[in-house]
Amino acid sequence: WAHLRRRFFEIHAGTQSPIAGEALLRIAALYAVEAGIRGRPPERRLAARQAQSAPLVTELETWLRAQLNRVSSGSKLAEAIRYGLRHWPGLCRFLDDGRLEMDSNTVEREIRPVAVTRKAALFAGSEGGGEAWAIATTLIRTAILNGVDPQAWLTDVLERMVTGKVRSTALDTLLPWTWRDAQPTARAA
């Protein structure tokens, strides 16, 4: 949905097309439903989507097909409409599964630093340097994804490993999510 919305947004920004503007409003209505159910259990999200979003999606598809007949077939607007209709089954998948997000923005935001760092690691100086960079990045991003301060976690974990305060059979206690839950401040929160 974010990719489809972006196409209409760019057209509307450049041309003030009323059709692109209407498409943006209709897609915004879907995002408004999602904002109201974010963080809810999957079964509640599914019920809300079936009741509120499914009719909007059905109306949007009908409307897009009608607009496709009104616009020049070679226009950017026609391309955006055809893109949406071509991907319609995938766009509708969130309506049948409350566990799915409506778009991939959350995932894309989370993997962007990894992708940028991966490209930067190409200039690490050597294959070994690149591998070390990849390991460090993976550790840091894993800590961040689990709500752990990477510097505090790595400092504590490395100190415990170097001083022998943790046995090799208990290395799982050093994983970011386990480490976080064992911290006194985490318990008090």
Side-chain angles (χ1 to χ4, degrees):
W1 284 101
H3 294 280
L4 178 61
R5 183 194 172 284
R6 189 173 303 121
R7 288 171 181 261
F8 286 117
F9 177 82
E10 289 169 359
I11 293 166
H12 189 262
T15 66
Q16 296 302 306
S17 162
I19 294 174
E22 177 69 20
L24 290 172
L25 290 173
R26 289 171 180 256
I27 294 170
L30 292 170
Y31 275 102
V33 173
E34 289 300 302
I37 61 174
R38 188 161 288 116
R40 303 279 190 253
E43 50 283 346
R44 287 191 54 199
R45 288 169 42 135
L46 180 60
R49 287 173 176 169
Q50 289 293 309
Q52 299 171 47
S53 298
L56 297 174
V57 169
T58 300
E59 290 172 14
L60 178 57
E61 181 185 19
T62 302
W63 181 81
L64 286 173
R65 290 188 186 285
Q67 301 317 303
L68 188 57
N69 293 328
R70 295 181 55 207
V71 301
S72 171
S73 63
S75 69
K76 291 286 184 188
L77 187 54
E79 284 179 29
I81 294 170
R82 282 193 299 271
Y83 173 87
L85 295 174
R86 188 171 55 250
H87 291 89
W88 205 253
L91 290 169
C92 294
R93 196 159 287 132
F94 81 105
L95 295 172
D96 298 321
D97 191 338
R99 298 169 300 168
L100 299 179
E101 291 295 327
M102 184 176 150
D103 63 33
S104 58
N105 277 349
T106 305
V107 173
E108 289 178 16
R109 267 193 306 276
E110 289 300 325
I111 66 171
R112 185 172 295 118
V114 174
V116 169
T117 301
R118 184 182 61 231
K119 286 184 182 178
L122 294 172
F123 304 101
S126 67
E127 188 174 333
E131 288 176 9
W133 191 328
I135 291 167
T137 299
T138 301
L139 291 171
I140 291 167
R141 291 305 304 167
T142 301
I144 291 169
L145 286 171
N146 284 279
V148 172
D149 173 18
Q151 184 174 0
W153 171 66
L154 281 171
T155 301
D156 183 50
V157 165
L158 292 174
E159 284 176 1
R160 285 206 244 166
M161 290 174 74
V162 169
T163 60
K165 291 181 180 174
V166 65
R167 297 180 187 268
S168 62
T169 56
L171 292 178
D172 62 317
T173 63
L174 303 179
L175 295 171
W177 49 91
T178 309
W179 182 88
R180 174 197 62 213
D181 294 342
Q183 298 307 300
T185 55
R187 286 190 210 126

